[in-house]
């Protein structure tokens, strides 16, 4: 088994438009995609050479492939791992991605590519063949960075440092103790339980999302679910983590517009299996390195409150969606409303986040 490591970048450019001299400037962000000789569209990347760190590789590869000078944005680093077979040998490959801002859009391609394009996020996500999740995480990162960007505070060297007196320290400590006691009366144990469950849900969905991505990359012909049960097939189906013996929903259907969706469940004894017979119908045991050893289920796993995990897939585009409902307002605001899905009340993951109808909830 061989190990390889590469580094790449999500390269973006921000152009400013002035529609009116008296109006605020408007910024439009565009991402760079390269058309590789194999026909796919992807991000710039390349092998890490000897005595080179990943960031040095990114700067070199981007310049070699596009003649662009870029600046690395601090705080964003993502790594994907996948495996494939090359000349009868399994290869495990790590690719580390960074976020890089270009100072212009004048691309001069190397002979490694046959085309390029600058696109806004949504159009770029539709076009890119692989690494849709990396592009998505970069967009989320930039949105948050712009949202919480604070104005710079100038250093004033004339301001003298002032220490605190003993009485001032005592007053501060007394206030802190009082606030802790006051706050503890209002934090209910139920809120802590909700937070704990939401943390598990987010971790479970992200783990499943990564496992499916690895399965797709490592499998020659990925099989995301049973025949005729993909979205837009004869029996468009949503797969639920709810066990059959708890509640049987397979006789029900979900309507959304002119479409009808069926529900699929398995028993609790089958739910956790990763061989395709579990609640999520993918045989993860087919991958050279098994990415997951049991399927997680929702901590509550109940239909009444709509707390369960859901999965749907689209065979024609090899895309899928994973859903879960969160309980605590903090996690709803920071995850459900920032996942770039079509339902701000549901935490959505996957490569096509509009496959599961909102009427399910």
């Amino acid at each position: 088994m061989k190990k390889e490591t590469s580094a790449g970048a999500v390269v973006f450019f921000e152009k400013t438009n002035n529609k009116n001299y008296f109006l605020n400037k408007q910024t439009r962000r565009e991402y760079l995609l390269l058309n590789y000789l194999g026909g796919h569209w992807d991000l710039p990347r390349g092998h890490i050479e000897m005595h080179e760190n990943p960031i040095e590789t990114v700067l070199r590869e981007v310049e070699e492939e596009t003649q662009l000078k870029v600046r690395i944005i601090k705080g964003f680093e993502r790594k994907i791992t996948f495996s494939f077979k090359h000349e009868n040998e399994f290869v495990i490959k790590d690719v580390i991605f960074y976020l890089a801002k270009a100072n212009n859009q004048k691309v001069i391609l190397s002979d490694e590519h046959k085309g390029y394009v600058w696109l806004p996020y949504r159009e770029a996500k539709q076009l890119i063949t692989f690494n849709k999740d990396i592009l998505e995480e970069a967009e989320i990162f930039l949105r948050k960075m712009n949202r919480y960007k604070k104005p710079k505070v100038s250093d004033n060297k004339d301001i003298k440092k002032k220490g605190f007196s003993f009485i001032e320290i005592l007053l501060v400590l007394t206030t802190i103790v009082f606030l802790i006691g006051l706050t503890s009366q209002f934090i209910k144990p139920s809120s802590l339980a909700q937070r704990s469950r939401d943390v598990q849900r987010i971790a479970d969905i992200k783990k499943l999302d990564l496992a499916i991505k690895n399965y797709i990359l490592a499998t020659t012909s990925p099989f995301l679910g049973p025949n005729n049960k993909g979205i837009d097939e004869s029996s468009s189906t949503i797969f639920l983590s709810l066990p059959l013996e708890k509640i049987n929903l397979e006789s029900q259907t979900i309507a959304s517009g002119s479409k009808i969706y069926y529900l699929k469940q398995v028993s609790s004894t089958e739910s956790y299996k990763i061989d395709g017979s579990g609640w999520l119908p993918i045989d993860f045991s087919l991958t050279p390195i098994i990415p997951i050893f049991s399927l997680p289920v929702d901590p509550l796993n109940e239909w009444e409150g709509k707390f369960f995990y859901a999965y749907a897939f689209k065979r024609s585009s090899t895309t899928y969606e994973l859903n879960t409902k969160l309980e605590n307002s903090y996690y709803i605001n920071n995850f459900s409303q920032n996942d770039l899905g079509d339902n701000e009340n549901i935490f959505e993951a996957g490569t096509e986040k509009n496959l599961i109808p909102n009427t399910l909830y």
Side-chain angles (χ1 to χ4, degrees):
M1 188 173 291
K2 184 180 177 182
K3 184 74 179 287
E4 293 182 358
T5 306
S6 293
V10 182
V11 178
F12 70 98
F13 177 78
E14 291 182 337
K15 53 175 65 174
T16 303
N17 297 323
N18 286 323
K19 293 187 177 180
N20 188 300
Y21 179 80
F22 298 101
L23 296 178
N24 292 332
K25 296 178 180 179
Q26 295 182 343
T27 301
R28 171 186 170 96
R29 182 164 55 246
E30 294 183 344
Y31 292 95
L32 173 65
L33 298 182
L34 302 180
N35 193 195
Y36 285 74
L37 298 180
H40 62 284
W41 291 87
D42 206 352
L43 305 169
R45 60 187 175 93
H47 292 286
I48 298 176
E49 295 184 354
M50 191 176 297
H51 308 305
E52 195 176 50
N53 65 47
I55 290 180
E56 290 172 338
T57 298
V58 168
L59 297 176
R60 175 183 56 77
E61 284 289 342
V62 171
E63 186 172 4
E64 288 178 357
E65 295 178 357
T66 67
Q67 297 298 305
L68 288 174
K69 296 284 188 181
V70 297
R71 175 172 60 88
I72 301 296
I73 304 300
K74 293 182 179 180
F76 184 93
E77 181 180 319
R78 302 292 186 272
K79 184 174 79 169
I80 64 169
T81 302
F82 58 95
S83 59
F84 57 93
K85 199 171 184 179
H86 178 68
E87 296 180 352
N88 295 321
E89 182 181 21
F90 281 115
V91 180
I92 300 176
K93 186 162 189 174
D94 292 334
V95 185
I96 306 168
F97 285 99
Y98 296 91
L99 190 56
K101 185 175 182 179
N103 56 8
N104 63 70
Q105 292 182 293
K106 299 175 182 177
V107 174
I108 301 176
L109 283 179
S110 69
D111 55 8
E112 297 179 34
H113 309 90
K114 57 182 181 180
Y116 75 93
V117 67
W118 292 94
L119 290 173
Y121 167 70
R122 293 195 179 279
E123 289 85 346
K125 188 178 178 183
Q126 289 178 350
L127 180 63
I128 190 171
T129 310
F130 307 112
N131 300 311
K132 291 179 184 288
D133 54 327
I134 299 295
L135 182 64
E136 178 180 316
E137 290 184 30
E139 173 71 8
I140 293 173
F141 180 88
L142 289 170
R143 288 187 186 185
K144 288 184 177 180
M145 187 175 74
N146 291 335
R147 185 185 305 170
Y148 299 113
K149 188 181 293 182
K150 297 180 180 179
K152 294 182 179 179
V153 180
S154 59
D155 296 328
N156 190 340
K157 296 180 180 179
D158 296 330
I159 297 176
K160 295 181 179 179
K161 294 182 179 179
K162 180 182 177 182
F164 293 100
S165 68
F166 180 71
I167 294 177
E168 288 173 327
I169 294 173
L170 284 178
L171 287 173
V172 171
L173 290 175
T174 303
T175 304
I176 292 173
V177 171
F178 172 75
L179 290 175
I180 291 174
L182 185 65
T183 305
S184 64
Q185 296 180 20
F186 292 95
I187 297 178
K188 299 179 181 180
S190 59
S191 176
L192 295 176
Q194 288 177 354
R195 284 173 172 260
S196 177
R197 288 193 292 266
D198 281 351
V199 168
Q200 180 180 335
R201 290 181 177 113
I202 293 166
D204 284 347
I205 293 299
K206 287 189 173 183
K207 179 170 66 175
L208 287 174
D209 187 25
L210 182 60
I212 297 173
K213 286 182 171 70
N214 283 335
Y215 166 79
I216 292 173
L217 289 170
T219 310
T220 306
S221 300
F223 189 73
L224 298 181
N227 293 329
N228 303 319
K229 295 188 181 296
I231 300 302
D232 294 335
E233 295 179 2
S234 59
S235 301
S236 298
T237 300
I238 307 167
F239 299 83
L240 306 178
S241 66
L242 294 165
L244 272 171
E245 62 266 29
K246 190 172 185 179
I247 181 171
N248 190 336
L249 302 168
E250 294 199 335
S251 60
Q252 297 189 29
T253 57
I254 302 294
S256 179
S258 59
K259 292 184 178 181
I260 298 296
Y261 300 82
Y262 297 89
L263 303 178
K264 178 63 179 174
Q265 303 165 260
V266 297
S267 66
S268 57
T269 56
E270 302 290 321
S271 284
Y272 304 93
K273 294 184 177 180
I274 62 165
D275 60 358
S277 63
W279 75 264
L280 200 157
I282 294 178
D283 189 355
F284 293 106
S285 64
L286 296 177
T287 59
I289 299 178
I290 299 176
I292 192 171
F293 295 97
S294 66
L295 296 179
V297 299
D298 186 90
L300 294 177
N301 223 23
E302 62 180 28
W303 175 253
E304 184 177 354
K306 298 297 188 291
F307 294 112
F308 49 80
Y309 297 159
Y311 165 80
F313 71 96
K314 192 171 183 178
R315 198 182 313 277
S316 59
S317 55
T318 318
T319 54
Y320 64 93
E321 180 177 8
L322 291 160
N323 278 187
T324 185
K325 181 181 176 183
L326 305 180
E327 297 178 75
N328 188 271
S329 59
Y330 172 82
Y331 291 101
I332 293 172
N333 293 336
N334 285 276
F335 288 89
S336 297
Q337 295 182 9
N338 286 298
D339 59 17
L340 303 182
D342 64 348
N343 190 338
E344 63 179 12
N345 298 313
I346 300 298
F347 180 55
E348 300 163 90
T351 51
E352 190 169 352
K353 298 180 182 178
N354 59 0
L355 297 179
I356 298 176
N358 295 331
T359 50
L360 176 65
Y361 302 94

